[in-house]
Protein backbone atom coordinates (compact mmCIF):
# COMPACT_ATOMS: atom_id res chain seq x y z
CA UNK A 1 0.00 0.00 0.00
CA UNK A 2 2.84 2.41 0.86
CA UNK A 3 4.66 1.86 -2.45
CA UNK A 4 1.41 2.37 -4.38
CA UNK A 5 0.79 5.62 -2.51
CA UNK A 6 4.31 6.84 -3.24
CA UNK A 7 3.81 6.05 -6.93
CA UNK A 8 0.61 8.12 -6.93
CA UNK A 9 2.32 10.95 -5.06
CA UNK A 10 5.28 11.00 -7.46
CA UNK A 11 2.88 11.16 -10.38
CA UNK A 12 0.98 14.06 -8.76
CA UNK A 13 4.20 15.98 -8.16
CA UNK A 14 5.37 15.44 -11.74
CA UNK A 15 1.95 16.55 -13.05
CA UNK A 16 2.34 19.78 -11.07
CA UNK A 17 5.66 20.45 -12.82
CA UNK A 18 8.11 19.08 -10.28
CA UNK A 19 11.08 16.82 -11.02
CA UNK A 20 11.57 13.80 -8.77
CA UNK A 21 15.17 13.75 -7.57
CA UNK A 22 15.03 10.73 -5.24
CA UNK A 23 12.62 8.22 -3.79
CA UNK A 24 12.98 6.52 -0.42
CA UNK A 25 16.29 8.13 0.52
CA UNK A 26 17.54 6.48 3.69
CA UNK A 27 20.20 7.13 6.28
CA UNK A 28 20.73 5.93 9.84
CA UNK A 29 18.31 8.58 11.14
CA UNK A 30 15.36 7.70 8.92
CA UNK A 31 13.85 8.00 5.47
CA UNK A 32 12.49 10.66 3.15
CA UNK A 33 9.71 9.35 0.91
CA UNK A 34 10.20 11.72 -2.04
CA UNK A 35 12.61 14.53 -2.81
CA UNK A 36 11.70 16.77 -5.72
CA UNK A 37 12.72 19.98 -7.37
CA UNK A 38 10.11 22.69 -7.81
CA UNK A 39 11.74 25.47 -9.80
CA UNK A 40 14.65 26.64 -7.65
CA UNK A 41 13.36 24.95 -4.49
CA UNK A 42 14.00 21.46 -3.16
CA UNK A 43 10.87 19.76 -1.84
CA UNK A 44 11.00 17.09 0.84
CA UNK A 45 7.73 15.23 0.57
CA UNK A 46 6.14 12.98 3.15
CA UNK A 47 3.57 10.57 1.73
CA UNK A 48 0.77 9.16 3.89
CA UNK A 49 -1.52 6.52 2.44
CA UNK A 50 -4.59 5.23 4.27
CA UNK A 51 -7.56 3.08 3.44
CA UNK A 52 -10.92 4.80 3.77
CA UNK A 53 -11.90 4.00 7.34
CA UNK A 54 -12.70 5.69 10.61
CA UNK A 55 -8.96 6.04 11.29
CA UNK A 56 -6.95 9.24 11.21
CA UNK A 57 -7.04 11.03 7.85
CA UNK A 58 -3.58 11.05 6.25
CA UNK A 59 -3.51 14.85 6.17
CA UNK A 60 -3.67 14.85 9.98
CA UNK A 61 -0.72 12.51 10.46
CA UNK A 62 2.29 14.82 10.52
CA UNK A 63 2.94 15.71 14.16
CA UNK A 64 5.58 18.30 15.12
CA UNK A 65 8.14 15.63 16.07
CA UNK A 66 7.86 14.06 12.62
CA UNK A 67 8.18 17.48 10.97
CA UNK A 68 11.32 18.21 13.00
CA UNK A 69 12.81 14.83 12.03
CA UNK A 70 12.07 15.47 8.35
CA UNK A 71 13.83 18.84 8.60
CA UNK A 72 16.92 17.13 10.08
CA UNK A 73 16.83 14.50 7.34
CA UNK A 74 16.47 17.23 4.70
CA UNK A 75 19.54 19.03 6.06
CA UNK A 76 21.52 15.81 5.93
CA UNK A 77 20.36 15.05 2.37
CA UNK A 78 21.28 18.58 1.30
CA UNK A 79 24.79 18.18 2.64
CA UNK A 80 25.35 14.68 1.29
CA UNK A 81 23.68 15.01 -2.08
CA UNK A 82 22.83 18.56 -3.16
CA UNK A 83 25.74 20.62 -1.87
CA UNK A 84 28.22 17.87 -2.70
CA UNK A 85 26.98 18.09 -6.29
CA UNK A 86 26.16 21.79 -6.75
CA UNK A 87 28.30 23.47 -4.09
CA UNK A 88 25.56 25.78 -2.78
CA UNK A 89 22.16 25.39 -1.13
CA UNK A 90 19.19 25.56 -3.53
CA UNK A 91 18.38 29.15 -4.46
CA UNK A 92 14.70 28.63 -3.66
CA UNK A 93 15.34 26.99 -0.30
CA UNK A 94 13.82 23.79 1.03
CA UNK A 95 10.11 23.17 1.48
CA UNK A 96 8.29 20.38 3.29
CA UNK A 97 5.17 19.09 1.54
CA UNK A 98 2.65 16.41 2.46
CA UNK A 99 0.79 14.19 0.03
CA UNK A 100 -2.14 12.39 1.61
CA UNK A 101 -3.82 9.54 -0.22
CA UNK A 102 -7.07 7.88 0.73
CA UNK A 103 -7.88 4.57 -0.90
CA UNK A 104 -11.66 4.14 -0.91
CA UNK A 105 -13.35 0.76 -0.97
CA UNK A 106 -14.45 1.60 -4.51
CA UNK A 107 -13.38 4.12 -7.06
CA UNK A 108 -10.26 6.16 -7.65
CA UNK A 109 -7.84 7.14 -4.90
CA UNK A 110 -8.18 10.63 -3.48
CA UNK A 111 -4.83 12.45 -3.61
CA UNK A 112 -4.23 15.73 -1.76
CA UNK A 113 -1.01 17.73 -1.97
CA UNK A 114 -0.32 20.42 0.61
CA UNK A 115 2.72 22.64 0.10
CA UNK A 116 4.77 24.06 2.93
CA UNK A 117 3.46 22.09 5.91
CA UNK A 118 6.37 22.54 8.24
Amino acid sequence: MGRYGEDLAARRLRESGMTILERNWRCAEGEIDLIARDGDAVVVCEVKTRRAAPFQHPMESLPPAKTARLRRLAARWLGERWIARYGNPPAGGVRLDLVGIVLPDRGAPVVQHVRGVG
Side-chain angles (χ1 to χ4, degrees), residues 2-118:
R3 178 71 178 182
Y4 176 66
E6 288 174 6
D7 289 344
L8 291 173
R11 184 179 334 151
R12 172 62 60 95
L13 296 179
R14 281 192 303 272
E15 288 171 352
S16 71
M18 294 185 200
T19 301
I20 304 300
L21 301 175
E22 275 197 70
R23 292 180 65 154
N24 304 113
W25 180 80
R26 289 178 175 90
C27 68
E29 298 171 47
E31 176 185 359
I32 298 174
D33 295 329
L34 296 170
I35 302 168
R37 189 170 188 169
D38 186 13
D40 289 340
V42 168
V43 178
V44 172
C45 188
E46 178 71 6
V47 180
K48 295 293 185 180
T49 306
R50 302 281 188 268
R51 295 203 180 277
F55 304 111
Q56 184 181 37
H57 190 278
M59 300 309 278
E60 299 170 350
S61 60
L62 196 60
K66 175 79 173 190
T67 302
R69 187 173 66 78
L70 285 170
R71 290 217 168 272
R72 286 191 306 274
L73 290 170
R76 185 164 178 177
W77 180 86
L78 280 171
E80 290 181 12
R81 302 287 182 137
W82 183 272
I83 293 175
R85 183 174 193 177
Y86 298 107
N88 295 309
V94 178
R95 186 178 77 224
L96 179 59
D97 288 7
L98 174 63
V99 176
I101 299 162
V102 176
L103 304 174
D105 292 333
R106 294 180 180 208
V110 177
V111 181
Q112 292 179 289
H113 175 203
V114 178
R115 298 169 185 254
V117 296

